[in-house]
């Protein structure tokens, strides 16, 4: 790979990681000059990375503003959840119906690693362990890895990335054990998939994704209310939360 392409790939990977981790929060303006300094890259390389991220929906381009990390909102989260349920559940059904021993081994191994990775880096401060987050993603990837449609898998990955922006912003609120037993949810999905019950596995995954969305929606409403009551009132640029339409 030519050096320029290698640099562009590196900036793309680092910028994507910073967006998904919350290091660049929702609503952050992404100026070429500041990003070039941050990643020690030329404006051309930075522009290419932003363009690729735009294709994936991880940044948006606005007239007279430039690029920014997308705002989060209840409307977007609902739309994202509907799309993710349809795509990821369809991919899981095809995995369960068509995949073989290699897929089963991958599901078992990824779930084993997930169960044995500590959830919290700092439980008091509600900081999710990056290792657990990576294993959680790996488990969801393994579940649909047997799907024969590469397009479905790619779309599912893009939707999962978009959801990760909400996940990182929420600081682990979706893992609240008072509201769900997420470990049991993972076990149930895994067991149904390995039992080759496509309908049950798909239904459990759909419920799992919707439960996450419900908790995030409640957190969005709570955050919006607290911000509205604060003095002075912060605008969307400061909070990264777009106002709902009603």
């Amino acid at each position: 790979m030519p050096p320029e392409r290698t640099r562009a790939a590196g900036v793309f990977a680092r910028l994507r990681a910073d967006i998904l981790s919350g290091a660049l929060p929702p609503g952050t303006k992404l100026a070429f000059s500041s990003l070039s300094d941050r990643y020690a890259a030329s404006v051309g390389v930075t522009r290419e990375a932003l363009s690729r991220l735009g294709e994936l929906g991880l940044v948006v381009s606005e007239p007279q503003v430039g690029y920014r990390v997308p705002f989060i909102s209840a409307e977007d989260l609902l739309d994202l959840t509907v799309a993710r349920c349809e795509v990821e559940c369809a991919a899981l059904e095809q995995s369960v119906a068509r995949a073989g021993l290699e897929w089963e081994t991958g599901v078992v191994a990824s779930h084993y690693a997930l169960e044995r990775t500590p959830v919290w880096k700092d439980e008091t401060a509600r900081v999710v362990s990056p290792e657990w987050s990576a294993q959680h993603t790996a488990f969801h990837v393994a579940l649909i890895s047997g799907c024969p449609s590469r397009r479905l898998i790619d779309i599912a990955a893009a939707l999962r990335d978009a959801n990760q922006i909400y996940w990182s912003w929420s600081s682990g609120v979706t893992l609240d054990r008072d509201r769900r037993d997420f470990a049991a949810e993972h076990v149930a999905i895994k067991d149904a998939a390995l039992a080759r019950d496509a309908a049950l596995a798909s239904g459990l995954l759909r419920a799992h994704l919707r439960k996450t969305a419900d908790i995030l929606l409640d957190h969005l409403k709570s955050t919006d209310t607290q911000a509205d009551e604060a003095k002075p009132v912060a605008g969307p640029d400061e909070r990264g939360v777009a106002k709902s339409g009603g």
Side-chain angles (χ1 to χ4, degrees):
M1 182 181 293
E4 193 73 3
R5 298 293 298 170
T6 301
R7 284 192 291 271
V11 172
F12 168 83
R14 291 173 62 193
L15 182 52
R16 174 181 175 274
D18 282 347
I19 292 170
L20 296 184
S21 70
L24 293 172
T28 301
K29 294 180 181 178
L30 303 171
F32 289 119
S33 58
S34 60
L35 290 180
S36 295
D37 290 341
R38 181 185 183 101
Y39 302 115
S42 68
V43 171
V45 165
T46 302
R47 188 187 302 276
E48 181 178 342
L50 286 169
S51 178
R52 288 181 61 192
L53 289 166
E55 293 172 1
L56 297 174
L58 293 181
V59 302
V60 294
S61 178
E62 299 176 348
Q64 300 180 339
V65 174
Y67 287 96
R68 70 162 72 244
V69 181
F71 289 116
I72 58 177
S73 69
E75 289 83 358
D76 178 62
L77 178 58
L78 287 168
D79 184 50
L80 173 60
T81 302
V82 168
R84 193 176 176 198
C85 284
E86 293 304 313
V87 171
E88 199 158 335
C89 289
L92 176 58
E93 288 182 10
Q94 292 190 36
S95 264
V96 170
R98 304 187 185 192
L101 180 59
E102 183 178 353
W103 167 79
E104 289 185 3
T105 303
V107 170
V108 171
S110 64
H111 184 262
Y112 182 89
L114 177 63
E115 276 196 319
R116 282 151 182 78
T117 302
V119 176
W120 302 104
K121 179 179 180 181
D122 183 340
E123 189 160 2
T124 302
R126 304 287 290 177
V127 177
V128 178
S129 161
E131 293 77 17
W132 187 89
S133 183
Q135 292 296 347
H136 181 241
T137 297
F139 173 63
H140 278 273
V141 170
L143 284 170
I144 67 171
S145 63
C147 175
S149 171
R150 175 50 52 185
R151 290 183 185 275
L152 270 182
I153 290 177
D154 288 346
I155 295 169
L159 293 171
R160 193 181 306 113
D161 277 356
N163 192 77
Q164 183 65 33
I165 294 177
Y166 285 87
W167 179 285
S168 297
W169 165 82
S170 70
S171 301
V173 70
T174 59
L175 304 178
D176 186 351
R177 293 183 186 275
D178 290 334
R179 299 196 58 172
R180 72 193 307 185
D181 187 343
F182 58 86
E185 292 173 28
H186 291 147
V187 171
I189 296 168
K190 182 259 300 181
D191 288 348
L194 295 178
R196 300 300 181 136
D197 190 332
L200 178 59
S202 175
L204 290 170
L205 176 60
R206 188 180 299 270
H208 178 68
L209 298 177
R210 286 177 172 172
K211 184 65 174 178
T212 296
D214 287 344
I215 296 173
L216 285 170
L217 285 167
D218 287 346
H219 191 56
L220 270 169
K221 292 174 183 176
S222 172
T223 303
D224 227 16
T225 299
Q226 292 171 18
D228 286 342
E229 293 173 350
K231 301 294 183 179
V233 176
D237 281 353
E238 286 75 30
R239 284 186 274 147
V241 181
K243 282 288 191 178
S244 60

